[in-house]
């Protein structure tokens, strides 16, 4: 009896504190994290002691417990060498646990991994297929680059094994090797072809995955494996037409995993290859029609089928079928499937637009989905579907969604709605109504360039001025909380306040709204004092009130405007105070006030909403249907408000594009009196200044001025490198006996009486409040159309364009006062026998340069005649001048020519 007890004590002394099951129970019995840590620490200490004492009988159990401790997140690195000892054991159980420990405790960056290579090589040549399987599994999970190179030959040999189990494991191991060392893929090319012929689904799916990886790593392998397309099609056909197979069935679908893998490989092999695409059209149609969509596995196969159809050169009918499958996905209750469908439709809408249009109603329903990701994708797809035929319906739905959309959507939505309306608007009134509705709903989320484009739309639609100003006036009386709507309304009322008053009372939404001088000023005053007014709004309103002072005739209203300006002359905001003071001073000069505050011309299309660097920027810019460049800043909008135009965008990140004014606009400009032109030239520094931002002076067919005015004009033309030849006229020159109003204005503001001092005194009234803008702000565009002077002199300079008998020559010259400025005279010569009409000339320069253009002398070039146009390029970095030109004209036979040309750089010493 004593001997039995002693033997029992010896056995128990060799056993650890816990068996694996006991350790698991002890851990689960812990009520706090501290208790769990205590149990783990105690057991880890026992395991370390056992490892040091080399207890071979307990090594298996200790490593098992150590792996469990590792799974709980506690340190277990000290058991790495014990795992290597288990791998060296001849017992299968020890090898299995040892390889499992290696995969868990060792990664490819661990130095101990190099000790595993020899054991793996021995086991890869083992006679027991399960031991070989263990080695292949370990190699496929933790193989490093060095190990892959060392054992590549063994894996290649095992790919040809007669054992299906080993071939499958070797294929997965080869996949790991190809990913770690792509250049070793050549070793598996021949073996991979044989795997595609295997009847075993496990080996086949492994082979398909391996071939897919090799084709993705090295696209030149696609030609090698493209010959296997008929074989893959046959495999897929067998899977689709096969009956019930318990071994491979997943919810009624035969091996969906293999089907998906084959479809992915077919998509890669048939891309950009018509023959391979034709070979799989029938089977793709069969898969798309026979696969059930009620189960998730069926949806997975259908999704891969759709991707394959859209990625290869498939038939049109097959593409429509694929889009219809995605349409069914949109009706699925599973949000994941609906998201996948929307994401795929976004990618395919450019390929099969008409087919996607059939599912427009379902897509619009997704805008009301509770999942924000689905709403975002549905919104992107809705904008992609807009065209000329459905712009009314889709825009109405998008505006309805805009009202309830999340704030993060609103800015992008307003931008895209503006783009769609500009591109597909059926008429100007619908365009204006759409923009007004958008501004009412999300005026606080409108980008600056969108607002600038809307202002330009209003300015150029003269027949709807009264309608627009009445709509904005009525909207402002109802709601002033939307900043974009307020800014647009204030700007339009300032420009067309007289149109609003002359139109009298009007009806809006079955309500009669009375309009009077006092009600307009009262509305602006209420906005000015309201809770939503910020500095920008106040700047707009002060300028609008000043403009209304020359449009409204009521004496009390005039006094009210003066009082409002006087009240803001002590504002804490420097810009507001400066404007109020200067506008108040302007009331002292009634003889020039109307000219300064006259209605501004239609702003040029200089701003683009979404930047683009494509070659078609100029074309889309000119047609008005392209995307818009990044638009003007707040400063540019304020300058627009004062009638200060620029020849190019305020943002210099894109190429500067300058467009010649329309002939109708030129005719309107020539109707201004000579006196107003001279006064404006004085105010804005037209008589001097040599900065790069000085405006291009007007050239008019006005009567000969006095000697002082003539000298001033000669100086301006000298500045631009042109010649001034006054035309004879019987009209006597205007008298200069009256005192200079600008000298008085400069004196009253504490400045000198010189024109330059007067310019410095009044220029802040038209600045934007930023001191840095004094030298960089866009200049006033007061270009006037010169008389059409057709000459028959021989053209000279450098030829930039010559087609259809129409020649364009460029004559460059350095500016006399500023070496960074280049003045280029453009000569349009007509060598045909007929007349060239409707001439439009546009130019673009590199980003580092800035371009300004004066209007052409005429849009019609007589036979043998020459017309002129002046361009001015500011090139501060002295980079080579390169021009991209767009020319549009109509020949005498009625044929319209639209052409693009490039010129540059100019030869050395050209200017």
């Amino acid at each position: 009896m004593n001997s039995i007890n002693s033997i029992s004590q010896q056995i128990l002394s060799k056993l650890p504190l816990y068996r694996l099951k006991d350790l698991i129970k002890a851990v689960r019995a812990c009520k706090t994290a501290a208790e769990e840590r205590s149990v783990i620490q105690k057991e880890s200490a026992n395991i370390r002691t056992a490892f040091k004492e080399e207890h071979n009988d307990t090594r298996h159990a200790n490593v098992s417990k150590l792996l469990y401790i590792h799974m709980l997140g506690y340190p277990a690195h000290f058991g790495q060498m014990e795992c290597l000892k288990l791998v060296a054991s001849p017992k299968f159980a020890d090898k299995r646990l040892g390889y499992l420990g290696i995969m868990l405790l060792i990664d490819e960056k661990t130095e101990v991994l190099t000790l595993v290579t020899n054991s793996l090589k021995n086991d890869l040549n083992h006679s027991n297929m399960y031991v070989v399987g263990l080695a292949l599994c370990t190699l496929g999970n933790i193989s490093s680059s060095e190990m892959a190179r060392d054992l590549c030959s063994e894996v290649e040999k095992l790919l040809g094994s007669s054992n299906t189990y080993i071939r499958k494991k070797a294929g997965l191991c080869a996949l790991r090797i190809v990913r770690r060392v792509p250049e070793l893929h050549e070793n598996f090319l021949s073996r991979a072809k044989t795997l595609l012929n295997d009847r075993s689904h496990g080996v086949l799916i492994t082979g398909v995955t391996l071939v897919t990886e090799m084709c993705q790593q090295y696209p030149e392998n696609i030609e090698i494996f493209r010959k296997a397309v008929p074989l893959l099609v046959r495999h897929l056909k067998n899977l689709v037409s096969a009956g019930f197979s318990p071994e491979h069935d997943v919810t009624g679908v035969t091996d969906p995993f293999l089907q998906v893998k084959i479809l992915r490989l077919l998509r890669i092999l048939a891309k950009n290859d018509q023959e391979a695409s034709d070979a799989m059209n029938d089977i793709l149609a069969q898969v798309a029609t026979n696969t059930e969509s009620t189960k998730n596995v069926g949806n997975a196969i259908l999704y891969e089928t759709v991707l394959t159809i859209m990625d290869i050169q498939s038939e049109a009918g097959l593409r429509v079928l694929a889009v219809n499958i995605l349409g069914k996905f949109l009706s699925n209750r599973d949000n994941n499937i609906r998201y996948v469908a929307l994401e795929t439709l976004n990618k395919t809408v450019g390929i099969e637009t008409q087919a996607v249009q059939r599912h427009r109603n379902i897509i619009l329903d997704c805008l009301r989905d509770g999942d924000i990701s689905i709403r975002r994708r549905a919104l992107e797809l809705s904008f992609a579907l807009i065209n000329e035929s459905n712009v009314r319906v889709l825009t109405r739905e998008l505006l309805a969604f805009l009202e309830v959309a999340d704030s993060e959507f609103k800015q992008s939505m307003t931008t895209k709605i503006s783009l769609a309306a500009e591109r597909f608007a059926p008429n100007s009134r619908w365009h204006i109504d759409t923009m007004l509705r958008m501004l009412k709903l999300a005026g606080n989320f409108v980008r600056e360039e969108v607002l600038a484009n809307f202002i330009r739309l209003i300015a150029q639609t003269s027949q709807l001025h009264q309608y627009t100003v009445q709509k904005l006036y009525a909207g402002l009386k109802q709601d002033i909380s939307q900043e974009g709507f307020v800014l647009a309304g204030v700007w339009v009322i300032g420009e067309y306040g007289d149109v609003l008053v002359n139109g009298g009372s009007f009806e809006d939404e079955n309500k009669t709204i009375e309009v009077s001088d006092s009600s307009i000023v009262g509305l602006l005053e209420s906005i000015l004092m309201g809770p939503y007014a910020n500095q920008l709004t106040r700047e707009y309103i002060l300028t609008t009130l000043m403009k209304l002072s020359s449009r409204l005739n009521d004496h009390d209203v005039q006094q009210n405007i003066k009082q409002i300006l006087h009240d803001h002359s002590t504002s804490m905001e420097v810009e507001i105070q400066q404007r109020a003071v200067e506008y108040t001073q302007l009331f002292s000069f009634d003889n020039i006030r109307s000219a300064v505050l006259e209605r501004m011309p239609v702003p040029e299309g200089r701003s683009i909403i979404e930047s683009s660097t494509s070659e078609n920027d100029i074309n889309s810019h000119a047609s008005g249907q392209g995307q818009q460049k990044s638009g003007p800043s707040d400063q540019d909008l304020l300058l627009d408000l004062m009638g200060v135009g620029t020849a190019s965008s305020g943002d210099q990140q894109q190429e500067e594009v300058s467009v010649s004014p329309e002939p109708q606009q030129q005719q309107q400009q020539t109707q201004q009196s000579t006196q107003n032109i001279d006064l404006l030239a004085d105010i804005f520094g037209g008589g001097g200044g040599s900065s790069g931002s000085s405006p291009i002076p007007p050239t008019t067919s006005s009567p000969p001025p006095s000697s002082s005015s003539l000298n001033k004009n000669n100086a301006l033309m000298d500045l631009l490198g042109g010649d001034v030849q006054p035309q004879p006229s019987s009209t006597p020159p205007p008298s200069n006996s009256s005192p200079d109003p600008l000298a008085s204005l400069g004196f009253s503001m504490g400045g000198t009486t010189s024109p330059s001092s007067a310019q410095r005194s009044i220029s802040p009234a038209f600045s934007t409040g930023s001191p840095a803008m004094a030298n960089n702000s866009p200049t006033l565009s007061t270009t006037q159309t010169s008389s059409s002077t057709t000459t028959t002199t021989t053209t000279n300079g450098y030829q930039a364009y010559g087609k259809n008998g129409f020649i364009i020559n460029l004559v460059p010259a350095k500016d006399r006062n500023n070496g960074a400025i280049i003045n280029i005279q453009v000569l349009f010569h007509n060598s045909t026998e007929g007349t060239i009409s409707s001439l439009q000339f546009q130019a673009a320069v590199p980003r580092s340069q800035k371009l300004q253009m004066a209007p052409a002398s005429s849009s019609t070039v007589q036979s043998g005649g020459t017309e002129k146009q002046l361009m001015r390029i500011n090139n501060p970095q002295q980079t080579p001048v390169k021009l991209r030109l767009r020319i549009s004209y109509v020949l005498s036979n009625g044929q319209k020519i639209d052409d693009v040309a490039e010129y540059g750089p100019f030869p050395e010493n050209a200017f």
Side-chain angles (χ1 to χ4, degrees):
M1 189 69 180
N2 293 330
S3 61
I4 295 176
N5 290 335
S6 62
I7 294 173
S8 300
Q9 292 294 333
Q10 292 177 2
I11 295 175
L12 291 175
S13 64
K14 295 179 180 180
L15 291 177
L17 177 63
Y18 293 115
R19 294 176 301 171
L20 178 59
K21 291 183 180 180
D22 295 333
L23 177 61
I24 295 174
K25 290 180 180 179
V27 171
R28 290 180 177 178
C30 295
K31 296 182 179 180
T32 63
E35 290 182 20
E36 180 181 302
R37 285 194 299 271
S38 176
V39 171
I40 296 299
Q41 289 172 358
K42 183 178 180 180
E43 186 61 24
S44 296
N46 292 333
I47 293 174
R48 280 194 182 93
T49 303
F51 286 163
K52 290 178 181 179
E53 295 176 357
E54 296 289 342
H55 289 169
N56 296 331
D57 297 335
T58 60
R59 180 177 290 123
H60 186 281
N62 285 332
V63 171
S64 300
K65 291 188 291 182
L66 192 63
L67 294 182
Y68 176 69
I69 291 173
H70 171 74
M71 292 170 60
L72 293 178
Y74 294 96
H77 58 279
F78 55 87
Q80 293 173 351
M81 294 303 299
E82 299 301 315
C83 293
L84 293 177
K85 294 177 182 178
L86 286 177
V87 167
S89 171
K91 297 180 181 179
F92 176 78
D94 288 345
K95 284 184 177 291
R96 182 175 60 182
L97 184 62
Y99 279 126
L100 177 61
I102 289 174
M103 287 186 282
L104 290 177
L105 302 181
I106 301 177
D107 57 35
E108 58 183 273
K109 298 180 181 179
T110 308
E111 294 181 358
V112 180
L113 186 62
T114 56
L115 302 176
V116 185
T117 304
N118 190 53
S119 297
L120 285 174
K121 189 170 186 177
N122 293 333
D123 288 340
L124 287 175
N125 296 307
H126 202 279
S127 58
N128 188 331
M129 69 173 187
Y130 296 109
V131 174
V132 176
L134 288 176
L136 288 172
C137 183
T138 304
L139 181 61
N141 278 279
I142 64 168
S143 173
S144 63
S145 300
E146 294 78 9
M147 186 181 291
R149 291 186 176 92
D150 293 339
L151 302 177
C152 177
S153 58
E154 276 74 14
V155 175
E156 181 185 358
K157 182 176 64 176
L158 292 174
L159 280 173
S161 172
S162 59
N163 191 303
T164 302
Y165 175 81
I166 293 179
R167 288 202 307 275
K168 180 179 68 173
K169 295 278 187 180
L172 293 174
C173 193
L175 178 63
R176 170 79 177 199
I177 293 175
V178 170
R179 287 175 177 172
R180 282 290 174 267
V181 190
E183 59 267 21
L184 294 178
H185 76 283
E186 297 179 354
N187 297 343
F188 304 111
L189 286 176
S190 59
R191 296 293 186 182
K193 295 177 184 177
T194 60
L195 293 180
L196 297 179
N197 287 303
D198 206 293
R199 293 185 178 182
S200 169
H201 284 207
V203 178
L204 183 57
I205 194 172
T206 303
V208 170
T209 306
L210 178 60
V211 172
T212 302
E213 183 66 26
M214 288 193 289
C215 290
Q216 289 177 340
Q217 292 279 359
Y218 288 89
E220 57 268 21
N221 291 333
I222 294 177
E223 288 295 332
I224 299 175
F225 291 105
R226 189 165 281 160
K227 299 176 183 178
V229 168
L231 176 62
L232 293 171
V233 169
R234 186 165 63 250
H235 284 315
L236 188 58
K237 187 174 182 179
N238 292 336
L239 290 171
V240 174
S241 59
F244 176 74
S245 174
E247 184 180 358
H248 306 112
D249 183 82
V250 179
T251 64
V253 179
T254 303
D255 206 341
F257 304 101
L258 180 57
Q259 292 190 46
V260 167
K261 291 286 186 180
I262 292 177
L263 287 169
R264 288 179 181 173
L265 181 56
L266 288 175
R267 179 163 74 246
I268 296 173
L269 297 178
K271 190 171 184 179
N272 301 323
D273 187 271
Q274 186 62 51
E275 183 180 355
S277 299
D278 293 340
M280 62 183 70
N281 277 333
D282 292 340
I283 186 59
L284 290 176
Q286 187 176 350
V287 173
T289 53
N290 294 344
T291 304
E292 295 184 9
S293 60
T294 55
K295 302 293 179 59
N296 197 46
V297 291
N299 290 328
I301 295 173
L302 289 175
Y303 174 64
E304 289 296 333
T305 305
V306 169
L307 293 182
T308 303
I309 291 173
M310 289 302 179
D311 219 26
I312 67 174
Q313 299 177 7
S314 56
E315 299 173 350
L318 204 55
R319 292 179 181 273
V320 174
L321 177 61
V323 174
N324 291 339
I325 291 174
L326 295 175
K328 291 181 181 179
F329 282 0
L330 293 178
S331 303
N332 198 299
R333 294 182 178 180
D334 190 339
N335 282 352
N336 294 324
I337 296 177
R338 296 165 70 189
Y339 179 87
V340 164
L342 289 170
E343 185 74 16
T344 310
L345 285 173
N346 268 308
K347 298 176 182 177
T348 60
V349 66
I351 304 174
E352 287 293 333
T353 306
Q354 293 301 323
V356 179
Q357 289 281 0
R358 300 191 186 101
H359 307 283
R360 188 176 65 204
N361 293 332
I362 303 178
I363 294 170
L364 292 175
D365 289 340
C366 292
L367 292 175
R368 304 176 182 86
D369 194 274
D371 192 320
I372 188 172
S373 299
I374 292 178
R375 293 202 303 272
R376 182 179 287 109
R377 294 294 171 265
L379 187 60
E380 294 174 0
L381 185 56
S382 299
F383 281 112
L385 291 176
I386 297 179
N387 56 31
E388 293 86 349
S389 60
N390 61 21
V391 62
R392 292 177 181 269
V393 177
L394 279 179
T395 304
R396 183 170 61 248
E397 292 290 338
L398 290 171
L399 287 173
F401 176 66
L402 178 63
E403 189 171 5
V404 297
D406 298 333
S407 298
E408 61 182 288
F409 290 154
K410 288 188 176 181
Q411 185 171 14
S412 63
M413 283 192 67
T414 54
T415 302
K416 291 178 180 179
I417 289 174
S418 174
L419 275 173
E422 181 177 356
R423 186 174 182 182
F424 302 113
N427 53 66
S428 298
R429 179 159 180 169
W430 180 90
H431 191 180
I432 289 176
D433 286 339
T434 301
M435 295 298 294
L436 287 174
R437 175 67 175 162
M438 184 189 73
L439 289 173
K440 285 182 179 179
L441 294 175
N444 291 329
F445 300 90
V446 175
R447 290 168 57 181
E448 298 168 1
E449 53 267 36
V450 173
L451 189 59
N453 276 354
F454 179 53
I455 288 174
R456 177 173 177 266
L457 169 66
I458 296 172
Q460 69 185 5
T461 315
S462 56
Q463 68 274 18
L464 294 177
H465 281 170
Q466 180 174 337
Y467 172 79
T468 307
V469 71
Q470 287 178 348
K471 282 287 186 181
L472 286 166
Y473 179 77
L476 288 177
K477 291 186 74 69
Q478 295 177 358
D479 182 21
I480 60 172
S481 62
Q482 300 297 328
E483 181 183 1
F485 187 80
V486 171
L487 294 178
V490 169
W491 187 95
V492 173
I493 291 174
E495 288 295 316
Y496 310 110
D498 51 340
V499 177
L500 178 61
V501 174
N502 295 336
S505 60
F506 61 92
E507 288 190 2
D508 183 73
E509 298 180 357
N510 299 325
K511 294 180 182 180
T512 302
I513 299 179
E514 299 292 337
V515 179
S516 63
D517 294 5
S518 59
S519 64
I520 295 175
V521 176
L523 174 62
L524 294 175
E525 189 175 8
S526 65
I527 298 174
L528 190 62
M529 302 301 176
Y532 303 105
N534 54 26
Q535 180 174 345
L536 182 61
T537 306
R538 287 190 284 271
E539 292 172 3
Y540 270 59
I541 292 177
L542 289 184
T543 306
T544 295
L545 288 171
M546 193 62 203
K547 286 203 168 191
L548 289 176
S549 68
S550 65
R551 292 162 172 72
L552 306 180
N553 301 321
D554 190 291
H555 177 72
D556 294 337
V557 170
Q558 296 280 348
Q559 295 300 319
N560 191 14
I561 292 175
K562 292 180 181 179
Q563 184 60 43
I564 295 174
L565 293 174
H566 177 73
D567 293 342
H568 284 80
S569 62
T570 58
S571 173
M572 295 296 293
E573 297 168 331
V574 177
E575 173 66 18
I576 301 297
Q577 181 186 127
Q578 182 177 347
R579 286 172 182 265
V581 170
E582 292 173 349
Y583 290 161
T584 302
Q585 290 293 329
L586 197 56
F587 273 105
S588 305
F589 305 96
D590 290 336
N591 55 339
I592 67 170
R593 183 159 56 91
S594 59
V596 174
L597 302 176
E598 65 184 0
R599 187 174 297 171
M600 67 173 288
V602 177
E604 295 180 359
R606 68 192 187 287
S607 59
I608 290 190
I609 292 177
E610 290 187 351
S611 60
S612 174
T613 57
S614 65
E615 289 294 325
N616 298 324
D617 277 352
I618 299 179
N619 299 352
S620 61
H621 181 88
S623 64
Q625 294 183 357
Q627 292 180 336
Q628 299 293 309
K629 283 186 182 176
S630 55
S633 60
D634 292 339
Q635 290 85 352
D636 291 331
L637 291 177
L638 286 174
L639 290 169
D640 287 345
L641 195 63
M642 288 306 305
V644 181
T646 59
S648 59
S649 170
D651 187 356
Q652 298 299 320
Q653 295 301 318
Q654 302 294 330
E655 289 187 349
E656 295 290 344
V657 180
S658 184
V659 184
S660 302
E662 297 294 335
Q664 181 180 2
Q665 179 183 343
Q666 298 178 17
Q667 295 174 5
Q668 294 175 355
Q669 292 174 343
T670 56
Q671 297 174 359
Q672 297 177 355
S673 65
T674 306
Q675 181 181 1
N676 288 347
I677 295 172
D678 293 338
L679 291 172
L680 285 172
D682 286 342
I683 290 175
F684 294 105
S690 60
S691 67
S693 60
S694 61
I696 296 178
T699 57
T700 66
S701 57
S702 58
S706 63
S707 59
S708 61
S709 300
L710 183 59
N711 292 335
K712 180 185 298 182
N713 289 335
N714 286 338
L716 282 172
M717 292 308 297
D718 287 344
L719 183 65
L720 298 176
D723 297 328
V724 178
Q725 296 181 358
Q727 300 177 359
S729 174
S730 58
T731 306
S735 173
N736 288 334
S737 59
S738 61
D740 183 5
L742 290 179
S744 302
L745 182 60
F747 177 77
S748 64
M749 295 186 69
T752 64
T753 58
S754 64
S756 60
S757 299
Q759 177 188 348
R760 288 194 297 269
S761 299
I762 196 170
S763 61
F766 306 94
S767 67
T768 60
S770 173
M773 290 295 293
N775 296 324
N776 299 326
S777 61
T779 57
L780 178 69
S781 179
T782 57
T783 54
Q784 306 296 323
T785 305
S786 64
S787 61
S788 177
T789 58
T790 303
T791 63
T792 58
T793 59
T794 303
T795 59
N796 54 6
Y798 304 95
Q799 182 172 328
Y801 177 81
K803 291 183 182 179
N804 306 308
F806 183 56
I807 301 173
I808 299 178
N809 283 2
L810 305 178
V811 184
K814 272 281 180 75
D815 190 87
R816 297 181 182 179
N817 300 309
N818 190 340
I821 294 178
I822 303 168
N823 301 312
I824 301 177
Q825 190 174 39
V826 186
L827 303 178
F828 307 103
H829 180 66
N830 180 8
S831 60
T832 65
E833 297 180 356
T835 301
I836 292 179
S837 58
S838 301
L839 172 62
Q840 291 186 358
F841 178 73
Q842 303 166 21
V845 295
R847 300 176 184 176
S848 60
Q849 302 166 12
K850 186 173 182 180
L851 174 66
Q852 289 181 323
M853 294 180 69
S857 56
S858 176
S859 62
T860 302
V861 187
Q862 301 296 334
S863 176
T866 301
E867 299 296 337
K868 301 179 181 180
Q869 187 169 2
L870 186 63
M871 294 194 304
R872 183 181 179 88
I873 298 176
N874 186 7
N875 187 12
Q877 300 181 15
Q878 300 296 319
T879 55
V881 176
K882 296 181 181 180
L883 295 168
R884 186 179 299 168
L885 310 176
R886 176 170 171 81
I887 310 103
S888 176
Y889 54 92
V890 178
L891 298 175
S892 57
N893 59 5
Q895 180 184 2
K896 184 177 181 181
I897 304 297
D898 290 306
D899 212 344
V900 176
E902 292 186 0
Y903 181 81
F906 286 98
E908 293 185 8
N909 302 322
F911 46 82

